[in-house]
Amino acid sequence: MSQSRKDTKIYVEIVNELRLMIERKNLKPGDKLPSERELSERLNVGRSSVREALRALELLGLIETRRGEGTYIRDYGGHQLVQLLSTFILQDENAKRDIIETKYLIELDCLWLNLHKSSDGQLQEFKSWAETAHYTDDEFFLKVVRLTENHLFLRMWIILKDYYNSLQLDQIATSKEEYVQLIDMLITRNESLIRNAYKSLRKLSKN
Amino acid sequence: MSQSRKDTKIYVEIVNELRLMIERKNLKPGDKLPSERELSERLNVGRSSVREALRALELLGLIETRRGEGTYIRDYGGHQLVQLLSTFILQDENAKRDIIETKYLIELDCLWLNLHKSSDGQLQEFKSWAETAHYTDDEFFLKVVRLTENHLFLRMWIILKDYYNSLQLDQIATSKEEYVQLIDMLITRNESLIRNAYKSLRKLSKN
DNA sequence: TCTAGTACAGTGGTCAGACCAGTCGTTTCT
DNA sequence: AGAAACGACTGGTCTGACCACTGTACTAGA
């Protein structure tokens, strides 16, 4: 630990320290962090302060702890975080509308990105997968979002998807033909066609 | 505390317990939670476990603690949370491109939303502000995003804006006419016009 | 009477140490 | 060689202690 422990709470400093450590050592998901006792010694803080920092990160889903083994960096998915936050803050009705609206628009953005950035080969491959495989709506659009290679959209979409599913909306059935057609529209590289195809797939009238 | 402390970690149970407590007593932002020592007694757990739970919730931005006073429920904003998550996640190099891409598309989404949801009156008011006031690009688009009344987009855009600005890109000058024209295009309610107007304002060729 | 000052109880912040309960690798016994 | 026992290490939890800070009730002085 570096400076005055007056201004900032120690556990917050530890969180930052961990972040730096991960960056410096270029630690990836699955890698092991130092033990609580070692961190406590290295940073000259009490073990309980270290634990407060670790527990917070754990609740965020950023790390994973296994008794007897150690603490590991986790592949961030956002699952438990979303669940926690949704029960805490997702009461008002506007939030619900925001989630639906935002998820749809981001999906549309990703389609648009693919329309501009994906190669014909990628789209053809995607199409043959869509024609043969079994998949849910989430799985289909996960592929769409992944294809954009935009990690930001990926993170946001995953979170939104979890929120969306926690809303328990009525599921609208989508046929395989509709998914395939959506990809066909991508291949045409026509912006308004893809927009309409998506709207129709989502059974949207104007919004 | 209710059941076996075998399966679930105590601090997680405490988080749930707090959630129930907030629900039962219908506590609102600003209200005070029981003290750490009292919670520790009431739930028959150590104070350190209580603290681990509280610290986690604090890092999530759900509660606020003031030394010498107590722990209070907070008006959730989500800022620091997203901030934290993004600094953890956003380390790779493509992140830069992702930020730019995402910020632009979300701005476009918000324009699109306004095109469908805002009233003529709102847009006229916006226009007269744009014609007379002094503002930065951020201030202009903050208004655009706010106008959508979509809190999710608002939060995402604010974070994106901060990151975007931290990238130290060359600023492209935008004249007041261009902003006003953008609003004019909104008023026409024409999707492709607004898209082109935005592209031109951002000096984008195709992407 | 009113005010300024003080004392105290309560609260969060932090630490040290203890013990339990798992995991894993090594050693030892069969 | 295989199984059992051991020991080192890890996280999980509790207790008690001390500090710094806040709000309040009480008290001494004006």
Side-chain angles (χ1 to χ4, degrees), chain A residues 9 11 15 19 22-23 51-52 55-60 62 65 76 81 83-85 87-89 97-99 101-102 105-106 109 112-113 116-117 148-153 155-156 160 191 195 199 206-207, chain B residues 9 11 15 19 22 51-52 55-60 62 65 76 81 84-85 87-92 97-99 101-102 105-106 109 112-113 116-117 148-153 156 160 191 195 199 206-207:
Chain A
K9 291 174 189 170
Y11 90 95
V15 167
R19 188 159 56 196
I22 291 173
E23 195 172 344
R51 280 187 62 81
E52 288 181 10
R55 262 1 88 213
L57 292 179
E58 186 180 48
L59 198 66
L60 280 175
L62 295 172
T65 58
Y76 173 73
L81 169 65
Q83 194 179 357
L84 183 74
L85 286 183
T87 54
F88 259 99
I89 64 167
R97 190 214 53 188
D98 287 353
I99 289 170
E101 189 172 272
T102 309
L105 278 172
I106 283 187
D109 284 338
W112 187 87
L113 277 174
H116 284 289
K117 308 204 309 188
T148 67
E149 291 180 339
N150 182 315
H151 280 229
L152 236 49
F153 272 132
R155 302 294 182 195
M156 296 192 300
L160 281 170
E191 292 188 10
R195 176 166 240 106
K199 280 185 195 172
K206 106 172 226 268
N207 186 10
Chain B
K9 291 172 190 172
Y11 90 95
V15 166
R19 189 159 54 197
I22 291 172
R51 280 188 61 83
E52 288 182 12
R55 261 2 88 213
L57 292 179
E58 188 181 46
L59 197 66
L60 280 174
L62 295 173
T65 56
Y76 175 75
L81 166 64
L84 182 74
L85 289 180
T87 50
F88 257 95
I89 290 163
L90 264 167
Q91 284 154 4
D92 58 283
R97 189 215 52 189
D98 288 353
I99 289 171
E101 192 172 88
T102 309
L105 279 172
I106 284 186
D109 283 339
W112 188 85
L113 277 175
H116 284 290
K117 307 203 309 188
T148 67
E149 290 180 339
N150 182 316
H151 281 229
L152 241 46
F153 271 133
M156 295 191 297
L160 281 168
E191 291 189 10
R195 176 166 242 105
K199 279 185 195 172
K206 104 173 229 266
N207 187 5

Side-chain angles (χ1 to χ4, degrees), chain B residues 66-94:
Chain B
R66 297 197 280 270
R67 177 194 300 208
E69 296 186 58
T71 306
Y72 299 84
I73 300 182
R74 188 164 173 174
D75 194 5
Y76 175 75
H79 315 85
Q80 65 201 105
L81 166 64
V82 187
Q83 193 92 19
L84 182 74
L85 289 180
S86 34
T87 50
F88 257 95
I89 290 163
L90 264 167
Q91 284 154 4
D92 58 283
E93 255 314 300
N94 291 327

Side-chain angles (χ1 to χ4, degrees), chain A residues 80-197:
Chain A
Q80 63 205 106
L81 169 65
V82 168
Q83 194 179 357
L84 183 74
L85 286 183
S86 54
T87 54
F88 259 99
I89 64 167
L90 218 66
Q91 291 106 350
D92 66 285
E93 265 304 308
N94 287 334
K96 203 167 164 179
R97 190 214 53 188
D98 287 353
I99 289 170
I100 300 172
E101 189 172 272
T102 309
K103 177 169 182 277
Y104 285 176
L105 278 172
I106 283 187
E107 285 173 353
L108 208 39
D109 284 338
C110 289
L111 287 169
W112 187 87
L113 277 174
N114 282 320
L115 184 147
H116 284 289
K117 308 204 309 188
S118 296
S119 68
D120 285 341
Q122 286 175 309
L123 293 178
Q124 285 298 345
E125 190 182 342
F126 187 25
K127 182 179 176 182
S128 49
W129 171 84
E131 286 171 332
T132 57
H134 285 275
Y135 45 86
T136 64
D137 189 81
D138 281 346
E139 285 162 352
F140 178 83
F141 276 98
L142 178 60
K143 273 191 177 283
V144 170
V145 179
R146 276 239 164 80
L147 207 54
T148 67
E149 291 180 339
N150 182 315
H151 280 229
L152 236 49
F153 272 132
L154 180 60
R155 302 294 182 195
M156 296 192 300
W157 182 82
I158 288 176
I159 293 177
L160 281 170
K161 173 208 66 168
D162 288 335
Y163 272 120
Y164 186 86
N165 291 334
S166 73
L167 292 180
Q168 311 271 16
L169 301 172
D170 291 336
Q171 296 289 342
I172 43 169
T174 308
S175 68
K176 181 163 292 195
E177 286 73 37
E178 290 178 285
Y179 290 120
V180 175
Q181 196 181 359
L182 197 63
I183 302 178
D184 278 333
M185 295 301 103
L186 277 179
I187 296 173
T188 68
R189 313 282 180 185
N190 182 307
E191 292 188 10
S192 52
L193 283 182
I194 191 68
R195 176 166 240 106
N196 288 331

Side-chain angles (χ1 to χ4, degrees), chain B residues 186-206:
Chain B
L186 277 180
I187 296 174
T188 67
R189 312 283 179 184
N190 183 308
E191 291 189 10
S192 50
L193 282 183
I194 192 68
R195 176 166 242 105
N196 288 331
Y198 179 77
K199 279 185 195 172
S200 128
L201 182 143
R202 287 285 182 237
K203 273 77 180 175
L204 302 174
S205 54
K206 104 173 229 266

Side-chain angles (χ1 to χ4, degrees), chain B residues 170-183:
Chain B
D170 291 335
Q171 296 289 342
I172 42 170
T174 307
S175 67
K176 181 163 291 195
E177 286 72 38
E178 289 178 286
Y179 290 121
V180 175
Q181 196 180 359
L182 197 63
I183 302 178

Side-chain angles (χ1 to χ4, degrees), chain A residues 29-60:
Chain A
D31 289 347
K32 194 163 181 264
L33 287 175
S35 76
E36 299 179 352
R37 289 174 178 82
E38 187 183 338
L39 283 173
S40 151
E41 277 191 27
R42 291 228 303 247
L43 305 178
N44 279 314
V45 296
R47 192 182 154 213
S48 48
S49 294
V50 171
R51 280 187 62 81
E52 288 181 10
L54 290 177
R55 262 1 88 213
L57 292 179
E58 186 180 48
L59 198 66
L60 280 175

